[in-house]
Amino acid sequence: MQTAVDRVIRSFLSKHPASQHPSMSGAQSEAKRDEAQDFAAQLLENYKSQLARRSPKLD
């Protein structure tokens, strides 16, 4: 699952890098990037939890 999280985070960062926006400072760009990473990680954790609840328990 961690591999999937890393892949989604890389996808967000490579498709929409905040650092390329001309009106943002370096600190603002980094803050936006961190916010996007946190959001992506939280989405994946929520999805992982949903899958765990829906999966049949193996004994």
Side-chain angles (χ1 to χ4, degrees):
M1 188 65 182
Q2 185 62 43
T3 304
V5 171
D6 293 339
R7 191 175 349 154
V8 169
I9 290 171
R10 280 193 309 271
S11 174
F12 274 114
L13 293 177
S14 66
K15 289 182 183 176
H16 303 290
S19 61
Q20 291 182 355
H21 198 281
S23 66
M24 286 190 181
S25 71
Q28 288 173 322
S29 296
E30 188 173 332
K32 287 291 185 184
R33 185 172 46 251
D34 290 345
E35 184 180 329
Q37 285 178 324
D38 291 343
F39 181 68
Q42 186 61 46
L43 283 176
L44 288 168
E45 282 301 315
N46 290 345
Y47 182 66
K48 181 180 166 183
S49 296
Q50 289 177 2
L51 286 177
R53 285 193 305 263
R54 293 178 186 178
S55 297
K57 302 289 186 228
L58 299 175
D59 294 325

